[in-house]
Amino acid sequence: LVGAGQVSIDFGGGNVHTVTTDATTTYSELASELTALGGGFSASVLETDSGQYQLLVTSDDSGDAAAFTASSTISGFGTFTDIQTGLDAQISIGSLTIERDSNTVTDLIDGVTIDLAATTTTDITVTVGRDSVAAADAVEALVTELNSTLSTLATATRYDSESETAGTLVGDSTARSLITSLRNAVSGAISGSLIPAAVGISITRDGQFTFDREEFESALADDFDSVNTLMTDQVASRLDDALDAAEGSAGSVARARDRWQASIDDLDDQIDRWEDRLETREANLIRQFAALDSALAGLQNQSNWLASQLASFSQQSG
């Protein structure tokens, strides 16, 4: 138990968060209530020794702006001690000092992430080089995803003559057009000195792509700028254009889906009209049958009456 009173977390500038406790409040309950305030910090309970507990409050963010003070009016609760004060990381470049609120700096050098591991007064040289392995990984992942998409589309548009089964999109022009545009984006004519096949990206007879990692990394080492231009300004750009034309509310896929939905709605309307006609026809037949049944019953009664009359005449004649 912590006892009755208040615990306050002050981020400065009047940004104070307070929890009120009573005689039955436990450390765990206090920690949960502090965290639930959503004030940019969380609280937990540490068992420092057998049966001995302390409250730990930690800011969700790092840096100077995340620094706070804690206080309590709970009798016997003790005082709060700073274990680690929030400070900005500092990088000195000559006479220039740069501060960031995280040890991971992403906006100092364009395209480069610097992880600050320790403090030091010794100069450190940061050398930036091209990561051909990461580039090859990215292209390989692109080829894998492209093949997966093409395979899905091929299955959906294929007719298997042996099993006489058809994919759900057999004959669909939108699906065939998307297959063509995706393949052409990577294998079609490319402006410039390089083509995808020259950097290890080739298309097979079944329309799938292969990726030669060694050939790609070799081409990247020989002429980085040309390979970069090929992959970013040509292949990636054309894939983006192909996907943009297919995706979105005005894309070819959405238009095809709207056409299919319109056909479904039309068929549903036709089914509803036929059901109405059948119900009307059924009602008419039921009425006709009832009338016929009534007429037959009348004829049967007349037949019975005539039979009884004839029987009566026969008895009188005898």
Side-chain angles (χ1 to χ4, degrees):
L1 301 177
V2 296
Q6 290 184 332
V7 174
S8 298
I9 309 298
D10 186 357
F11 278 87
N15 188 13
V16 181
H17 306 273
T18 300
V19 166
T20 300
T21 64
D22 57 34
T24 65
T25 302
T26 65
Y27 273 83
S28 295
E29 290 171 342
L30 173 58
S32 296
E33 290 184 33
L34 285 168
T35 302
L37 291 176
F41 57 88
S42 60
S44 58
V45 180
L46 301 179
E47 185 173 7
T48 57
D49 201 350
S50 178
Q52 300 295 316
Y53 302 94
Q54 288 196 12
L55 182 73
L56 177 66
V57 183
T58 307
S59 174
D60 294 340
D61 299 318
S62 58
D64 285 345
F68 64 88
T69 59
S71 60
S72 172
T73 62
I74 300 174
S75 176
F77 188 76
T79 59
F80 284 91
T81 302
D82 286 341
I83 298 176
Q84 183 175 345
T85 303
L87 296 172
D88 285 345
Q90 294 185 343
I91 304 173
S92 296
I93 305 176
S95 60
L96 178 65
T97 299
I98 299 168
E99 294 188 351
R100 293 292 185 271
D101 61 4
S102 171
N103 287 335
T104 299
V105 182
T106 60
D107 58 353
L108 185 60
I109 303 174
D110 188 29
V112 176
T113 296
I114 300 176
D115 291 320
L116 307 178
T119 58
T120 181
T121 56
T122 304
D123 289 344
I124 294 176
T125 300
V126 178
T127 303
V128 179
R130 297 188 178 104
D131 192 344
S132 61
V133 174
D137 287 343
V139 175
E140 186 173 24
L142 173 65
V143 172
T144 299
E145 290 296 330
L146 178 61
N147 282 336
S148 176
T149 301
L150 291 172
S151 178
T152 300
L153 289 170
T155 300
T157 55
R158 181 183 300 121
Y159 176 77
D160 190 334
S161 57
E162 294 184 1
S163 62
E164 296 184 348
T165 57
T168 55
L169 296 177
V170 165
D172 183 75
S173 60
T174 300
R176 294 197 305 270
S177 176
L178 182 56
I179 291 174
T180 300
S181 62
L182 290 175
R183 286 174 178 165
N184 288 341
V186 181
S187 64
I190 300 278
S191 60
S193 59
L194 284 180
I195 60 174
V199 298
I201 305 173
S202 303
I203 189 169
T204 62
R205 288 187 300 176
D206 62 357
Q208 293 281 292
F209 288 90
T210 61
F211 177 63
D212 188 323
R213 187 184 188 93
E214 184 176 347
E215 187 174 359
F216 178 81
E217 291 185 3
S218 176
L220 202 63
D222 291 341
D223 190 349
F224 175 85
D225 290 336
S226 295
V227 176
N228 181 57
T229 298
L230 169 69
M231 296 307 302
T232 56
D233 295 346
Q234 301 284 337
V235 173
S237 178
R238 293 183 356 171
L239 279 173
D240 277 342
D241 291 341
L243 293 174
D244 286 343
E247 295 177 326
S249 58
S252 59
V253 173
R255 294 197 301 272
R257 183 173 58 246
D258 291 342
R259 289 196 301 272
W260 282 110
Q261 188 60 52
S263 297
I264 293 171
D265 293 341
D266 182 61
L267 289 173
D268 286 339
D269 291 340
Q270 292 184 44
I271 292 172
D272 290 340
R273 289 194 295 270
W274 273 107
E275 287 180 344
D276 291 339
R277 292 174 185 174
L278 289 173
E279 289 177 1
T280 301
R281 180 60 175 164
E282 181 185 30
N284 290 334
L285 289 174
I286 290 174
R287 285 195 298 271
Q288 292 176 11
F289 179 81
L292 179 60
D293 188 56
S294 177
L296 288 174
L299 290 173
Q300 184 65 44
N301 290 333
Q302 290 182 6
S303 175
N304 293 336
W305 180 81
L306 287 173
S308 65
Q309 291 298 315
L310 289 173
S312 175
F313 291 151
S314 175
Q315 291 174 359
Q316 292 175 3
S317 299

